[in-house]
Amino acid sequence: MKTKLLFSIMFALVSHIFISQSLDPTFGTNGVLNFDYECDFYEHTISSDGKIFLPGTFNNADKKAVLVKINSDGSLDTTFGINGKVEINNYHAANNTEDFDNVRILPDGKIVMNYYYNDSGNGGTHILRLNANGTLDNTFNNPVSSNETAINYFEI
């Protein structure tokens, strides 16, 4: 009796694990979201309305920073940035890198994140704030460098 009960409990636990790890067919295409561009994404953030923010960098020659906003069904939120993404590409040389990470959504819907760049060995990290629609928040400090594209941030 004890063996049968133990087996039943173990079967129920294993079944639950496998069921909870199956893909959600209502998300993306049969549970998978495919991008038509190649990116390295970092830790995601989920807003209170279930939307997903994916910060990262493009894996192309420019290595520009990207933040993608995805609806809870896996479609791009085209009301955010330009067609669901915010990109910054200030440094265009071959060995330069830019990326976003550590995204946080503030109670007013504004977005705070790290913006990292490496310009031929000279790099830095900034705290960047966007409005809820993905536009730069011009009330958040001032750019420290005139060669950067209208980025308002605090330099760290």
Side-chain angles (χ1 to χ4, degrees):
M1 176 75 172
K2 287 183 183 180
T3 305
K4 190 173 184 180
L5 178 61
L6 180 60
F7 179 75
S8 297
I9 292 171
M10 288 178 54
F11 181 76
L13 287 172
V14 170
S15 297
H16 176 72
I17 290 170
F18 284 114
I19 290 170
S20 66
Q21 292 182 359
S22 62
L23 295 176
D24 177 359
T26 65
F27 181 83
T29 304
N30 297 319
V32 177
L33 180 59
N34 291 310
F35 292 100
D36 58 354
Y37 42 87
E38 190 175 331
C39 293
D40 283 334
F41 290 116
Y42 308 115
E43 185 176 341
H44 69 278
T45 298
I46 300 175
S47 63
S48 60
D49 61 357
K51 299 202 177 180
I52 304 164
F53 290 83
L54 293 174
T57 187
F58 278 100
N59 278 334
N60 58 14
D62 287 338
K63 301 269 187 199
K64 58 189 167 184
V66 63
L67 177 65
V68 177
K69 185 176 181 186
I70 302 166
N71 293 314
S72 57
D73 67 357
S75 63
L76 285 177
D77 182 348
T78 57
T79 66
F80 180 76
I82 298 173
N83 295 320
K85 335 178 253 211
V86 171
E87 302 172 11
I88 293 184
N89 189 14
N90 289 319
Y91 305 100
H92 306 282
N95 294 322
N96 297 339
T97 312
E98 297 173 80
D99 63 43
F100 293 137
D101 65 6
N102 295 319
V103 175
R104 299 294 181 263
I105 312 303
L106 301 176
D108 63 359
K110 292 187 178 185
I111 304 154
V112 176
M113 63 189 160
N114 287 341
Y115 163 65
Y116 169 80
Y117 70 94
N118 182 342
D119 178 20
S120 300
N122 298 312
T125 300
H126 305 297
I127 302 296
L128 176 72
R129 188 167 73 186
L130 303 174
N131 294 310
N133 65 1
T135 59
L136 291 165
D137 181 356
N138 292 323
T139 66
F140 189 67
N141 206 359
N142 293 313
V144 277
S145 175
S146 61
N147 71 331
E148 295 177 355
T149 311
I151 301 175
N152 290 359
Y153 53 75
F154 284 117
E155 187 169 13
I156 302 177

